Amino acid sequence: MALTFEMPLLDDEGRVTAVRCPSTGCDAVVELINGRLERHSVRGQKCEMSDVQVVVG
């Protein structure tokens, strides 16, 4: 599980839809799917935070 303090992107109903990846060196804005970070790449390789559950604080 990861914790992010970055400002999340919200939908019209106030639900979190995307956050900035909390992994060091990865600044990707990643969509949340069922509270987990969508699979994404950093420097051409799968980011270690892909599929990790996220809590927005």
Side-chain angles (χ1 to χ4, degrees), residues 1-9 16-32 36-43 45-56:
M1 182 177 293
L3 178 65
T4 184
F5 295 99
E6 296 287 334
M7 182 59 115
L9 297 175
V16 177
T17 59
V19 295
R20 187 166 307 279
C21 178
S23 179
T24 303
C26 181
D27 288 328
V29 175
V30 184
E31 188 174 352
L32 289 179
R36 294 184 176 275
L37 290 173
E38 181 178 48
R39 288 184 183 162
H40 61 288
S41 297
V42 59
R43 291 183 223 112
Q45 295 188 10
K46 180 181 163 188
C47 179
E48 64 184 21
M49 292 299 228
S50 291
D51 298 322
V52 171
Q53 186 172 355
V54 173
V55 174
V56 179

